[in-house]
Amino acid sequence: MNITVIGTGYVGLVSGVCFSELGNNVICVDNNLEKVTTLSEGNVPIYEPGLKEIMNSNMKAGRLSFTSNIQEAISRSDIIIIAVGTPSLPNGEANLSYIELVAREIGSYMDSYKIIMTKSTVPVGTNDRIEEWIGSLTTHPFDMASVPEFLREGTAVQDTLYPDRIVIGTRSERAIAKLRELHGPLTDQIIVTDIRSAEMIKYASNAFLATKISFINEISNICEKVGADVSRVAEGMGYDKRIGASFLKAGIGYGGSCFPKDTQALIQIAGNVDYDFKLLKSVVEVNKDQRFNIIRKLDEALGELEGKHIAVWGLAFKPDTDDVRDAPAIEIIQRLLDLGAKVQAYDPIATNNFRKEVDSPSITWENSAMEAAKGADALCVLTEWKEFMEINLSELAEYMNQPVLIDGRNIYAENQIADTSFQYYSVGRPGLTNIDGRKTAVL
């Protein structure tokens, strides 16, 4: 099939590359000329495992190209995928200005029948508005379809090529047949529904996953008070098929480009139809507060934080990505700076992106985990990068001024800590500290 993907962010780029991997002819369009040049030269502006290799192989095969010429791309394609951003407005609603701009461009340049497939996450009813915007500018026939994405950063290629399910929302039998053919090589789990239900499935899915994360974090806070181990609690819960084990890992909360934006947008969608989504509001509140447990544990361990040197491992919102959008590290480091602490920060790949969000003379940007920890009064683990799990903890303790370890992602087991001098604080698990030469549980 001949496909145009408009927008080369995470969703657009990964979708375009993966559709070309299936043998389709794909043109990816972006109005950022520098980005188009970068991609055309075989370079990927985001960090996503496996993406560059697949992209380059399909470019060499002639199935994938990049351009800023949207008119030519639309003319050469049968399916037009809208994958531009829908960032949050100050009130939490999705900003649809990019969607409208693209829809009007499609309408202006339409020269034959097309299927318009929306992959951008948009509020319920948006595809009806897209249809109106396009229809007002063309007499050529077209069909609308909402096909939401469910990829995760860090595993985006795998999630796209091996999805749990494909959701197709459309009223057109012609579009259904074509989109079944397009997605058939990926999975036989294809759900066909109306457009508004497809739009809602995306928001409802992300809201539910965010709820699981906030729920287990609330359980972790209770576990700390009663002396239970949240990791064992989550394991026991996960064996129940009605609950499942995924997204039951306690930590410092969710971040990234989807969950924060989509939960706020769904709260606004509910508000616009006069419904107070109390549960989801609580999910957002819990998530925001959870990250500051790091600060509370530092206070407990060190007392006054002014002038203290705090090492931070991990700046990205999750491992295997350089994305720092709504990363917990942003607010945590900003709070440390506000309290007068000196921060020694390290991340394997996200430092440059993070410095665009937070920078200060009180932050030193280190080139390795051990350099960041050297001379620190405490170390905070904020992202569960694999290299942090492989550190020699006894050697690490010797590097630090005070052996205080705040494990915000529960990456270390009790037996790893037991033979070290660390005063150790985790999330929802009994910690271990050295008191009078004895290891003692810290709740």
Side-chain angles (χ1 to χ4, degrees), residues 207-208 211 214 267 275-286:
F208 183 76
T211 300
S214 285
I267 289 169
Y275 185 80
D276 185 10
F277 203 153
K278 297 176 183 177
L279 174 60
L280 196 54
K281 287 180 178 178
S282 295
V283 167
V284 172
E285 181 182 354
V286 168

Side-chain angles (χ1 to χ4, degrees), residues 207-374:
F208 183 76
L209 296 176
T211 300
K212 287 188 75 172
I213 293 169
S214 285
F215 178 84
I216 199 62
N217 281 334
E218 287 280 73
I219 294 297
S220 76
N221 294 332
I222 298 173
C223 285
E224 289 185 5
K225 293 180 180 297
V226 301
D229 185 336
V230 71
S231 61
R232 302 309 302 273
V233 173
E235 181 184 6
M237 292 170 61
Y239 278 104
D240 190 325
K241 294 179 181 179
R242 298 168 301 173
I243 298 172
S246 62
F247 290 85
L248 284 182
K249 188 174 181 181
I252 54 175
Y254 58 77
S257 62
C258 292
F259 286 3
K261 176 175 68 72
D262 292 351
T263 49
Q264 290 288 356
L266 186 51
I267 289 169
Q268 288 299 318
I269 291 169
N272 290 340
V273 292
D274 198 29
Y275 185 80
D276 185 10
F277 203 153
K278 297 176 183 177
L279 174 60
L280 196 54
K281 287 180 178 178
S282 295
V283 167
V284 172
E285 181 182 354
V286 168
N287 188 68
K288 188 174 183 64
D289 187 63
Q290 185 70 14
R291 58 195 58 182
F292 293 117
N293 278 343
I294 293 286
I295 305 297
R296 288 188 279 270
K297 288 172 181 178
L298 283 171
D299 284 336
E300 180 181 340
L302 301 178
E304 179 67 46
L305 294 182
E306 185 172 2
K308 295 292 196 301
H309 290 259
I310 309 299
V312 171
W313 282 1
L315 303 172
F317 86 94
K318 63 178 290 188
D320 295 319
T321 180
D322 60 354
D323 196 344
V324 300
R325 286 175 287 182
D326 276 298
I330 293 175
E331 288 187 288
I332 292 170
I333 288 179
Q334 191 59 62
R335 179 66 62 87
L336 289 172
L337 297 176
D338 292 343
L339 293 171
K342 307 291 184 181
V343 175
Q344 301 164 193
Y346 169 71
D347 188 282
I349 62 169
T351 299
N352 289 339
N353 285 345
F354 192 87
R355 292 188 70 173
K356 298 172 185 176
E357 302 294 327
V358 180
D359 205 351
S360 166
S362 295
I363 304 175
T364 57
W365 308 99
E366 307 294 353
N367 294 317
S368 73
M370 295 301 278
E371 285 180 20
K374 189 173 183 178

Side-chain angles (χ1 to χ4, degrees), residues 140-174:
H140 293 286
F142 65 95
D143 286 317
M144 291 298 307
S146 174
V147 183
E149 53 79 22
F150 301 100
L151 59 83
R152 299 164 296 172
E153 293 181 31
T155 57
V157 172
Q158 184 79 5
D159 292 343
T160 303
L161 293 176
Y162 304 96
D164 293 327
R165 80 289 201 194
I166 297 293
V167 175
I168 299 172
T170 185
R171 66 178 70 91
S172 164
E173 291 298 328
R174 184 178 181 181

